[in-house]
Amino acid sequence: MAENIKLKVGVLISGNGSNLQSIIDACEDPNFPAELSIVISNKAEAYGLGRAKKANIKTKVIEHQNFQHRSDFEKNITKALINANVELVCLAGFMRILTDTFVYSWKDRLINVHPSLLPIFKGLNTHQRAIECGVKFSGCTIHFVSSSMDEGPIILQAAVPVHQNDTSKSLAERVLDAEHKLYPMAIRLFANKKIWIENDLVKFTNIEDHNEILINPNIKN
Ligand code: GRF
């Protein structure tokens, strides 16, 4: 694949950046159809910034507290993304709610990872809530971002079992493993134009691609 036809991806983070790392690792494969153009953090101390620097990816810190208005914060983010020629924006543990204006300006080009099987457990503390509800499976979702929090057309989901003795930490680790597999898959599908949105639902060009993304746990484990 010629270098210049790769999809240019921008990632927004706030913290650890383990999902970012999974995207960095995927991009190291010469056959992966996307490349990282920029990583933006709203926190200067985000560990993920170091991961990006180590991989020689351009980074930028845009701290929300330096802006009186959310719109100015977001304008700066958009400016940085456009300057880096970004075509797809990936939220990966980015802990700021984005305004409708930002979401609209990146419509159908903005995706997020959420640590639950949406539409259940939107918002924070998903793993604790899953354990307290007694659900037997939890998981993660990659979805296009719409103006309502943790909503928008679902691209991929992976289910993981919830064990009887799970803590929110142990469940989070199991779900994170699934997130790390799923995010690069979603980027690959988007870059290869294998998915599109119809009536707020994600459709797959090829039904075999759809079958391949049905990741479920081995229930004997
Ligand atoms: C992930 O669990 C993601 O689903 C959620 O925030 C966490 C970020 O983890 N939105 P990391 O920064 O990618 O390690």
Side-chain angles (χ1 to χ4, degrees), residues 8-9 22-23 42 61 101 126 133 156 166 171 176 190 192:
K8 291 189 168 25
V9 173
S22 74
I23 301 169
N42 67 316
V61 175
T101 310
T126 53
C133 272
L156 299 173
D166 260 335
L171 180 55
L176 257 184
F190 183 95
N192 287 336

Side-chain angles (χ1 to χ4, degrees), residues 15-20 92-95 112-115 127 176 179-180:
N16 181 27
S18 67
N19 277 288
L20 165 66
F94 183 68
M95 301 304 283
N112 181 42
V113 57
H114 183 76
H127 307 302
L176 257 184
E179 292 179 36
H180 299 159

Side-chain angles (χ1 to χ4, degrees), residues 206-215:
N206 185 337
I207 201 67
E208 277 160 27
D209 290 329
H210 189 263
N211 291 341
E212 264 179 35
I213 58 94
L214 299 174
I215 301 176

Side-chain angles (χ1 to χ4, degrees), residues 1-9 23-37 87-88 183-194:
M1 175 181 303
E3 190 78 10
N4 59 2
I5 62 162
K6 290 195 175 206
L7 180 86
K8 291 189 168 25
V9 173
I23 301 169
I24 291 173
D25 295 346
C27 289
E28 271 168 18
D29 176 352
N31 292 319
F32 194 68
E35 63 188 8
L36 278 161
S37 295
E87 299 163 287
L88 173 70
Y183 223 146
M185 284 176 88
I187 294 170
R188 184 189 287 275
L189 286 166
F190 183 95
N192 287 336
K193 300 188 171 39
K194 300 271 191 173

Side-chain angles (χ1 to χ4, degrees), residues 127 131 161 163 165-176:
H127 307 302
I131 289 166
H163 295 309
N165 55 357
D166 260 335
T167 60
S168 57
K169 188 168 176 284
S170 61
L171 180 55
E173 280 169 14
R174 197 172 309 120
V175 171
L176 257 184

Side-chain angles (χ1 to χ4, degrees), residues 2-172:
E3 190 78 10
N4 59 2
I5 62 162
K6 290 195 175 206
L7 180 86
K8 291 189 168 25
V9 173
V11 180
L12 270 51
I13 61 166
S14 297
N16 181 27
S18 67
N19 277 288
L20 165 66
Q21 187 66 55
S22 74
I23 301 169
I24 291 173
D25 295 346
C27 289
E28 271 168 18
D29 176 352
N31 292 319
F32 194 68
E35 63 188 8
L36 278 161
S37 295
I38 190 165
V39 171
I40 300 173
S41 174
N42 67 316
K43 291 196 180 266
E45 69 278 13
Y47 185 78
L49 285 168
R51 297 180 190 266
K53 284 180 190 147
K54 202 169 159 204
N56 291 318
I57 297 156
K58 182 182 160 80
T59 61
K60 196 164 173 71
V61 175
I62 303 177
E63 290 181 291
H64 56 276
Q65 67 265 30
N66 292 344
F67 298 89
Q68 207 179 344
H69 300 291
R70 196 179 282 265
S71 57
D72 292 327
F73 166 62
E74 291 181 351
K75 272 182 199 156
N76 271 268
I77 294 179
T78 289
K79 197 172 147 201
L81 291 168
I82 288 172
N83 284 343
N85 299 313
V86 165
E87 299 163 287
L88 173 70
V89 182
C90 296
L91 306 179
F94 183 68
M95 301 304 283
R96 300 301 293 172
I97 291 176
L98 294 161
T99 64
D100 289 358
T101 310
F102 184 89
V103 171
Y104 190 74
S105 66
W106 291 98
K107 191 174 170 347
D108 301 346
R109 298 178 298 152
L110 176 62
I111 65 178
N112 181 42
V113 57
H114 183 76
S116 79
L117 293 172
L118 290 174
I120 198 170
F121 305 136
K122 294 174 186 170
L124 297 174
N125 302 321
T126 53
H127 307 302
Q128 191 56 38
R129 285 155 62 209
I131 289 166
E132 283 168 10
C133 272
V135 293
K136 301 304 176 209
F137 293 95
S138 191
C140 54
T141 304
I142 312 281
H143 64 99
F144 285 101
V145 176
S146 73
S147 51
S148 308
M149 192 181 67
D150 298 329
E151 282 186 19
I154 291 171
I155 305 170
L156 299 173
Q157 291 187 305
V160 305
V162 181
H163 295 309
Q164 183 156 287
N165 55 357
D166 260 335
T167 60
S168 57
K169 188 168 176 284
S170 61
L171 180 55

